[in-house]
Amino acid sequence: MKFEGEDILSAGQFDRAGLDQLFTLAHRMRPIAQHEVSCHVLNNHIFGSWFFTESTRTRLSGETAFLRLGGHVVTMTDMKMSSEVKGESFADSIQVLASFCDIMVVRCRQVGEAAMAAQISSKPVINGGDGSGEHPTQALLDAFTIQEEFGTIDGLTVAMVGDLKNGRTVHSLARLLLLYPGVKFIFVAPSFLPMPPEILQEIDGKGHSCVEIDSLRDSVKQADVIYMVRPQSERMTAQEQADVSMVLPQFRIDREFVEKRCQPNVRVMHPLPRNSELNRDIDPLPAAAYFRQVDNGILVRMALFLLLLGKENKFV
Ligand code: NCD
């Protein structure tokens, strides 16, 4: 696949060769990310970081990645201080913001708004999360983490647990994992928060094994990866919020669960932020990969910026 000048809107736009290229480059970013080697390859580039809804990791990870490559960042930390409050439309805002930067990340409220931004913007747009739609860069760092932890993704069994209806990271990750032969899916969610049917159809169409289950207890015994997501209350209907509070305790894991009901070599992942679904007593275990995901996010975003800006051969 071609990267230079492209928008990154969905995990579905990647192919396996593109992922291999991205992950090989991400691996080489580590000394720069850890500040052992300095790099100025993006020193005449500006990254626009536009978040219309809350973020900690995605915004700061992207900005850190760009800064580590010697670039510059313009950002808006509080949309209440933006012209949106004066009634400026999303379309007008994006058109204006595009003239301030060379590449941008946009986090939006509604599914499809990142694609709308990409149509308006003359500069490459990265979808930093659009409502309950997709979050492709999170999926890239998740897949990279799985590869780093296991040496391969092919043939692994990946369980996704929690609010699979509204959790955009699992939508994107499931799509990416379809590029790896033999990956098996176990989806564990309350019956009213299932993985969306269009993703189940894509999995079926590609011939991957997939099990849906609404009870955690023994369902993830075979899983190599347990990918937890929090209940996305901000995107739930009032009825879903009431119902979810009743079933939440059934979708939590702790150290005892990991030690007694999982594979010895299991990896527990989470895009963060966590609520009560992931007990802190797991943190010291080698299985806990979620803070390594955060570190890997910087590497993957650095590699992605270099590829989108056509600088992948010029960073040394
Ligand atoms: C996720 C998101 O915003 O979708 N967080 C992140 O980007 N790391 C997950 C979440 O909010 O639950």
Side-chain angles (χ1 to χ4, degrees):
M1 66 181 277
K2 174 180 160 289
F3 281 96
E4 188 172 353
E6 294 296 316
D7 304 303
I8 301 296
L9 302 175
S10 164
Q13 74 192 79
F14 288 87
D15 62 22
R16 177 65 184 269
L19 288 188
D20 289 347
Q21 185 185 8
L22 179 73
F23 293 168
T24 303
L25 188 59
H27 210 82
R28 294 171 65 199
M29 293 295 111
R30 208 177 284 279
I32 305 173
Q34 292 176 344
H35 209 199
E36 291 158 15
V37 175
S38 50
C39 176
H40 306 284
V41 65
L42 298 186
N43 70 357
N44 60 349
H45 288 79
I46 296 178
F47 173 50
S49 178
W50 316 123
F51 282 71
F52 290 83
T53 65
E54 311 74 34
S55 170
T56 299
R57 264 152 297 273
T58 305
R59 184 167 75 81
L60 297 180
S61 167
E63 294 179 9
T64 302
F66 213 79
L67 292 167
R68 286 284 190 219
L69 292 167
H72 308 275
V73 175
V74 285
T75 188
M76 183 78 82
T77 51
D78 183 358
M79 282 297 163
K80 291 194 203 73
M81 297 295 286
S82 78
S83 288
E84 197 179 43
V85 179
K86 300 181 193 173
E88 184 166 62
S89 68
F90 178 74
D92 280 0
S93 293
I94 294 296
Q95 181 144 6
V96 169
L97 297 171
S99 59
F100 299 152
C101 62
D102 305 301
I103 182 168
M104 65 166 86
V105 65
V106 183
R107 173 167 284 186
C108 343
R109 297 184 183 93
Q110 305 295 333
V111 176
E113 278 186 338
M116 192 200 293
Q119 281 187 343
I120 295 161
S121 169
S122 51
K123 310 291 168 55
V125 170
I126 299 172
N127 177 4
D130 58 335
S132 59
E134 282 221 40
H135 193 343
T137 60
Q138 178 70 40
L140 292 171
L141 77 89
D142 293 337
F144 178 72
T145 300
I146 297 172
Q147 184 167 295
E148 290 283 289
E149 298 284 326
F150 290 93
T152 182
I153 301 177
D154 296 345
L156 294 182
T157 298
V158 179
M160 300 187 185
V161 180
D163 178 359
L164 304 185
K165 178 182 170 197
N166 298 300
R168 55 195 171 200
T169 69
V170 286
H171 303 164
S172 292
L173 182 58
R175 288 198 161 114
L176 267 198
L177 294 179
L178 289 177
L179 296 171
Y180 294 86
V183 166
K184 301 182 197 66
F185 297 95
I186 304 171
F187 295 141
V188 187
S191 55
F192 54 95
L193 297 172
M195 187 60 99
E198 62 273 18
I199 294 180
L200 296 174
Q201 274 162 21
E202 285 174 39
I203 293 172
D204 194 41
K206 295 262 168 69
H208 287 251
S209 147
C210 173
V211 178
E212 283 188 278
I213 189 157
D214 64 1
S215 155
L216 183 55
R217 206 175 150 72
D218 286 319
S219 60
V220 296
K221 258 187 178 157
Q222 305 303 324
D224 300 292
V225 174
I226 301 179
Y227 189 101
M228 304 291 297
V229 284
R230 74 179 168 88
Q232 312 276 310
S233 316
E234 69 275 31
R235 289 195 272 277
M236 284 181 199
T237 61
Q239 186 61 50
E240 283 171 350
Q241 282 190 24
D243 292 346
V244 87
S245 61
M246 308 291 285
V247 299
L248 269 185
Q250 298 163 34
F251 295 89
R252 289 180 183 152
I253 65 168
D254 60 10
R255 181 178 183 139
E256 191 187 347
F257 181 92
V258 173
E259 288 177 343
K260 295 207 175 132
R261 296 185 186 278
C262 300
Q263 292 285 324
N265 198 32
V266 72
R267 290 295 184 274
V268 178
M269 296 177 61
H270 195 301
L272 302 176
R274 65 175 146 188
N275 294 162
S276 52
E277 66 282 353
L278 185 60
N279 197 300
R280 284 179 195 284
D281 67 0
I282 299 172
D283 294 4
L285 302 181
Y290 28 94
F291 292 115
R292 294 194 288 277
Q293 283 171 262
V294 177
D295 288 335
N296 289 336
I298 299 170
L299 309 183
V300 168
R301 291 185 170 105
M302 288 168 78
L304 188 63
F305 289 140
L306 290 177
L307 286 163
L308 295 178
L309 294 168
K311 299 285 182 190
E312 70 273 23
N313 296 320
K314 306 199 176 83
F315 71 88
V316 278

